[in-house]
C-alpha cells in the first residue's frame, strides 16, 4: 500500500449581493374639464277647447208584477225515535292471579381487593441558561427628493351653442262627433208566473224488530310447557401454537487464497556503487576486469552477492465458517378462556287463547214505504211585448283651429372660463426610517423534565359465588263472574206539530224609474305641458395617472463555488522482482552483463529484501475497492 495525494473538488455556498432594477408606478392626480349638454325642463300653458258628454236625468213611469207571499199554519204528524235503557245480566271470565314461592339458584360477583404497584412519571422544572438574538430597532434619518403637482388657473375664451325657443302658429283640420237622438221600436220578453198542482212520491221510514246471530271470540288461558335455553359460563383450558424466533447456527464454506511461499537464498548480480550516476546505465562492465567477461577467472566476480528472495506459492482452499440465521419455530402453549355452555330447561307459561261462540240478539231494522202526495208549483211562461226607445247616434263634422307650436333655433355665444392646470416642482424632505440591529442576550429558561416514582394502588376484582333465593311465581286461575250491563234501545213515537206553509199571489204595481240621456257640451281649459330646453354646462373631474419610476434594489443570492484540495489516498503498487541468470562459465563465474535486470531505486530501498505483500483473495480485493 502506498499513500498518494489526489485533487478533490468540493463546493461551498457563498452569499453574494447584486443590484437589480425594479420598475414602480407612482400615481399622480390631474384635473381635467369636460363640456356636456343638459336638457332643462320648462313648464308652459296653452288653452284648448274640448267636448264633454253630460248626463241629463229624466223620470219615467213603469208597471211591474210582484209575487206576494201568504203564510198559513198547517198541522203535520211525524215520528220520533225515543231512547231507553235496560239492565241485562252478562257472564264473563276473569283470570285471577295466585302467588307461589319457588327456589332458584343464581350467581353473584363478590368483589375483593388486591395491591398493585405501578410507575408514575413525576414532572419537575430546572433553570437552564439560554442565549437568544434580539433585533433592536435604530431610528435614522435620510433626505429624499419628491415631485409635487402645483395647480394654477388660466382664463380661456370658449364658444358654445344655445337653443333659443321660437313660438309659431299653424292651422289644422279636425273632426267632431255630434250626437243626435232617434225613436226606435224595441221587442222584449217578459216571464209571466202561473201555479200548477204536482203529484210526487215520498219514502216514509218505519222500524221492525229482527233476530240476528253473531259470533263472539271468548278469551281463556291455558298453561303450556315451554322449553328455553340458558347460557352457563364455563372456563376451558386450550392448547395452541405460536411462532418464536430462534438463532440457528449454520456451517458454510468460503474460498480463501493464501500465499504459502518461503524465503530462498539466491545470488543476485548488481552494478557497483560508482556506476550509479545520472544516466543510471547498469550495462557497463565490471571495473576489476580490463577485458570482457570471457577472460575472467573464478575469483574475479566483485558484483555477485547472495540474498534472500521470497518465492510466492498461491494456494486456494475452502475454509468452513459458522453463521447464525433467524428461523421461526412453532412452540406449543396453553391458555384459559371463558366460554358459555347452552342448557335447555322447561317452564310452564300461561297462554291466552280464544274460542268462537254463536249468540243471538234483537236489532231494529229501518225500512221505507212509498206514499203519494201533492204540492203547488209556480212556473213561468214567456210573452213577447213591444215598446218605443230613444236611441242616441253620432255624426262627424269637419272643423278648423289655430294651434301654437315651438321651434328651437341655435344661437352661437362666447364666454370666458377658468381652466385649472398643474406644473411639476421638485422638493426635498427629511424622512425617518428604522434599521434593525441584532444583539445577543442571555436568559434563564425553565425546562420541564420527568423522573419515575414507584407507587401502589388497590385494585378491585370479582369472583363468582353460587347462591339460592325464594322467588314468587304468579299463576292465573280462571273464574266465571256475572255483571249487569246497561243496553240502550229505541222505540218510535208519533207526534204532531204546526208547520208554516208559504204560498204566493201575483199583484200589479207602478213605480217611477230615474233614467239619464247623454248630451255633448263644448268647454275650454288651460293645459300645462313641459318643453325640454338644452343647456351646455362644464364640470371638472380628477384623473389618476401613473408614472413609471426605475429604482435600484439590492438582492442577496447564494452561489455554489468550487474549491479544489489535495486528499491523501492509500493505493496498491506492484513493484518488479530482480532475478539473475547464469552465464555458462565453469564454477561460480559471472553472468552476461546484458542479461542482468536492474532498477536503480530497488537497491537503495531498505525494504528491498522484505517479502512481497501476500496476494489478496477476490472477496478482500472487492472490499478494499
Amino acid at each position: 500500500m502506498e499513500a498518494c495525494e489526489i485533487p478533490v473538488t468540493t463546493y461551498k455556498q457563498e452569499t453574494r449581493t447584486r443590484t437589480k432594477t425594479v420598475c414602480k408606478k407612482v400615481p399622480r392626480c390631474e384635473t381635467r374639464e369636460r363640456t356636456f349638454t343638459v336638457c332643462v325642463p320648462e313648464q308652459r300653458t296653452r288653452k284648448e277647447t274640448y267636448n264633454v258628454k253630460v248626463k241629463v236625468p229624466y223620470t219615467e213611469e213603469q208597471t211591474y208584477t210582484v209575487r206576494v207571499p201568504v203564510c198559513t199554519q198547517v198541522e203535520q204528524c211525524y215520528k220520533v225515535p225515543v231512547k231507553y235503557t235496560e239492565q241485562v245480566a252478562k257472564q264473563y271470565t276473569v283470570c285471577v292471579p295466585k302467588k307461589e314461592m319457588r327456589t332458584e339458584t343464581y350467581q353473584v360477583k363478590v368483589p375483593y381487593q388486591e395491591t398493585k404497584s405501578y410507575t408514575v412519571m413525576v414532572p419537575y422544572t430546572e433553570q437552564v441558561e439560554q442565549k437568544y438574538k434580539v433585533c433592536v430597532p435604530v431610528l435614522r434619518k435620510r433626505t429624499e427628493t419628491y415631485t409635487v403637482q402645483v395647480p394654477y388657473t388660466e382664463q380661456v375664451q370658449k364658444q358654445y351653442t344655445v337653443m333659443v325657443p321660437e313660438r309659431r302658429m299653424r292651422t289644422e283640420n279636425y273632426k267632431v262627433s255630434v250626437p243626435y237622438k232617434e225613436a226606435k221600436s224595441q221587442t222584449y220578453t217578459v216571464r209571466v208566473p202561473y201555479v200548477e198542482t204536482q203529484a210526487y212520491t215520498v219514502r216514509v221510514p218505519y222500524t221492525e224488530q229482527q233476530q240476528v246471530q253473531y259470533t263472539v271470540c271468548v278469551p281463556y288461558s291455558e298453561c303450556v310447557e315451554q322449553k328455553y335455553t340458558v347460557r352457563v359460563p364455563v372456563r376451558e383450558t386450550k392448547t395452541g401454537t405460536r411462532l418464536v424466533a430462534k438463532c440457528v447456527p449454520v456451517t458454510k464454506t468460503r474460498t480463501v487464497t493464501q500465499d504459502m511461499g518461503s524465503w530462498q537464498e539466491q545470488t543476485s548480480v548488481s552494478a557497483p556503487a560508482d556506476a550509479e550516476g545520472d544516466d543510471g546505465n547498469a550495462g557497463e562492465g565490471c571495473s576489476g576486469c580490463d577485458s570482457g567477461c570471457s577472460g575472467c577467472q573464478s575469483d574475479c566476480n566483485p558484483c555477485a552477492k547472495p540474498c534472500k528472495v521470497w518465492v510466492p506459492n498461491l494456494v486456494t482452499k475452502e475454509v468452513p465458517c459458522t453463521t447464525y440465521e433467524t428461523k421461526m419455530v412453532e412452540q406449543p402453549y396453553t391458555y384459559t378462556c371463558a366460554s358459555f355452555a347452552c342448557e335447555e330447561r322447561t317452564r310452564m307459561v300461561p297462554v291466552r287463547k280464544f274460542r268462537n261462540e254463536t249468540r243471538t240478539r234483537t236489532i231494529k231494522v229501518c225500512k221505507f214505504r212509498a206514499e203519494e202526495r201533492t204540492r203547488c208549483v209556480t212556473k213561468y211562461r214567456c210573452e213577447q211585448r213591444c215598446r218605443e226607445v230613444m236611441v242616441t247616434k253620432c255624426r262627424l263634422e269637419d272643423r278648423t283651429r289655430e294651434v301654437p307650436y315651438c321651434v328651437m333655433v341655435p344661437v352661437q355665444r362666447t364666454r370666458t372660463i377658468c381652466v385649472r392646470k398643474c406644473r411639476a416642482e421638485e422638493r426635498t424632505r427629511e424622512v425617518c426610517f428604522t434599521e434593525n440591529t441584532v444583539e445577543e442576550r442571555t436568559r434563564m429558561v425553565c425546562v420541564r423534565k420527568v423522573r419515575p416514582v414507584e407507587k401502589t394502588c388497590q385494585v378491585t376484582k370479582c369472583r363468582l359465588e353460587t347462591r339460592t333465593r325464594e322467588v314468587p311465581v304468579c299463576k292465573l286461575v280462571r273464574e266465571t263472574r256475572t255483571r249487569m250491563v246497561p243496553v240502550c234501545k229505541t222505540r218510535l213515537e208519533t207526534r204532531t206539530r204546526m208547520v208554516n206553509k208559504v204560498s204566493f199571489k201575483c199583484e200589479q204595481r207602478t213605480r217611477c224609474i230615474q233614467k239619464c240621456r247623454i248630451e255633448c257640451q263644448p268647454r275650454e281649459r288651460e293645459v300645462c305641458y313641459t318643453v325640454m330646453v338644452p343647456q351646455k354646462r362644464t364640470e371638472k373631474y380628477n384623473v389618476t395617472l401613473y408614472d413609471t419610476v426605475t429604482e435600484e434594489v439590492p438582492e442577496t443570492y447564494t452561489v455554489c463555488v468550487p474549491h479544489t484540495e489535495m486528499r491523501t489516498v492509500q493505493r496498491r503498487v506492484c513493484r518488479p522482482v530482480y532475478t539473475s541468470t547464469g552465464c555458462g562459465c565453469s564454477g561460480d563465474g559471472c553472468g552476461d552483463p546484458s542479461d542482468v535486470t536492474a532498477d536503480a531505486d530497488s537497491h537503495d530501498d531498505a525494504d528491498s529484501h522484505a517479502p512481497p505483500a501476500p496476494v489478496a483473495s477476490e472477496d478482500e480485493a472487492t472490499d478494499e475497492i
Side-chain angles (χ1 to χ4, degrees), residues 42 98 150 227 285 328 376 392 420 437 454 479 514:
E42 184 179 329
K98 183 179 180 182
V150 179
K227 294 183 179 180
M328 304 302 292
C376 293
T392 302
R420 191 176 182 85
T437 305
E454 293 288 337
E479 290 184 4
Q514 295 290 333

Side-chain angles (χ1 to χ4, degrees), residues 224-255:
V224 180
E225 189 178 74
Q226 183 186 29
K227 294 183 179 180
Y228 65 99
T229 304
V230 181
R231 298 185 69 193
V232 181
V234 178
R235 302 186 70 83
E236 295 182 359
T237 302
K238 295 184 179 180
T239 304
T241 58
R242 58 187 173 190
L243 295 176
V244 181
K246 289 187 177 182
C247 292
V248 180
V250 177
T251 303
K252 296 183 180 180
T253 59
R254 67 174 181 176
T255 304

Side-chain angles (χ1 to χ4, degrees), residues 495-542:
R495 298 180 182 178
T496 59
R497 63 184 172 187
M498 299 301 292
V499 181
N500 291 326
K501 184 178 179 182
V502 179
S503 59
F504 294 90
K505 62 181 180 180
C506 294
E507 291 183 359
Q508 293 290 331
R509 295 183 182 179
T510 305
R511 64 184 174 186
C512 291
I513 300 174
Q514 295 290 333
K515 291 186 178 183
C516 293
R517 60 175 174 268
I518 297 174
E519 295 180 358
C520 289
Q521 295 180 4
R523 296 184 182 179
E524 287 187 356
R525 64 183 173 187
E526 282 194 356
V527 180
C528 294
Y529 64 98
T530 304
V531 178
M532 303 301 293
V533 180
Q535 292 182 5
K536 285 195 175 182
R537 298 180 183 178
T538 58
E539 68 174 357
K540 294 180 181 180
Y541 64 97
N542 294 328

Side-chain angles (χ1 to χ4, degrees), residues 55-123:
K55 291 183 179 181
V56 179
Y58 67 96
T59 304
E60 185 177 321
E61 192 173 306
Q62 183 182 13
T63 304
Y64 64 98
T65 304
V66 181
R67 295 180 65 203
V68 180
V70 178
C71 186
T72 56
Q73 294 286 330
V74 180
E75 187 177 352
Q76 182 185 11
C77 295
Y78 64 99
K79 292 185 178 181
V80 180
V82 181
K83 292 184 179 181
Y84 67 97
T85 304
E86 290 185 1
Q87 295 291 331
V88 179
K90 185 178 180 181
Q91 290 184 350
Y92 64 98
T93 303
V94 182
C95 292
V96 181
K98 183 179 180 182
K99 286 189 177 181
E100 293 182 359
M101 301 304 293
R102 185 176 66 183
T103 304
E104 68 174 16
T105 305
Y106 65 98
Q107 289 185 342
V108 181
K109 288 186 178 181
V110 181
Y112 64 94
Q113 300 284 333
E114 278 189 5
T115 304
K116 183 180 178 181
S117 62
Y118 62 97
T119 303
V120 180
M121 304 302 289
V122 179

Side-chain angles (χ1 to χ4, degrees), residues 359-373:
R359 298 182 181 179
T360 305
R361 63 183 174 185
T362 303
I363 63 173
K364 292 183 179 181
V365 180
C366 184
K367 294 184 178 181
F368 296 87
R369 59 174 175 266
E371 291 184 1
E372 292 291 334
R373 296 183 182 181

Side-chain angles (χ1 to χ4, degrees), residues 9-23:
T9 301
T10 59
Y11 290 87
K12 295 183 178 179
Q13 290 188 351
E14 290 186 4
T15 303
R16 298 181 182 179
T17 305
R18 63 186 174 192
T19 304
K20 67 177 182 178
T21 304
V22 179
C23 293

Side-chain angles (χ1 to χ4, degrees), residues 53 72 112 144 151 172 175 226 230 255 265 342 344 378 408 502 525 571 611:
K53 292 184 178 182
T72 56
Y112 64 94
E144 66 176 16
E172 66 177 19
K175 292 185 178 182
Q226 183 186 29
V230 181
T255 304
E265 287 190 2
C342 295
E344 194 169 307
T378 303
M408 304 302 293
V502 179
R525 64 183 173 187
R571 67 177 180 178

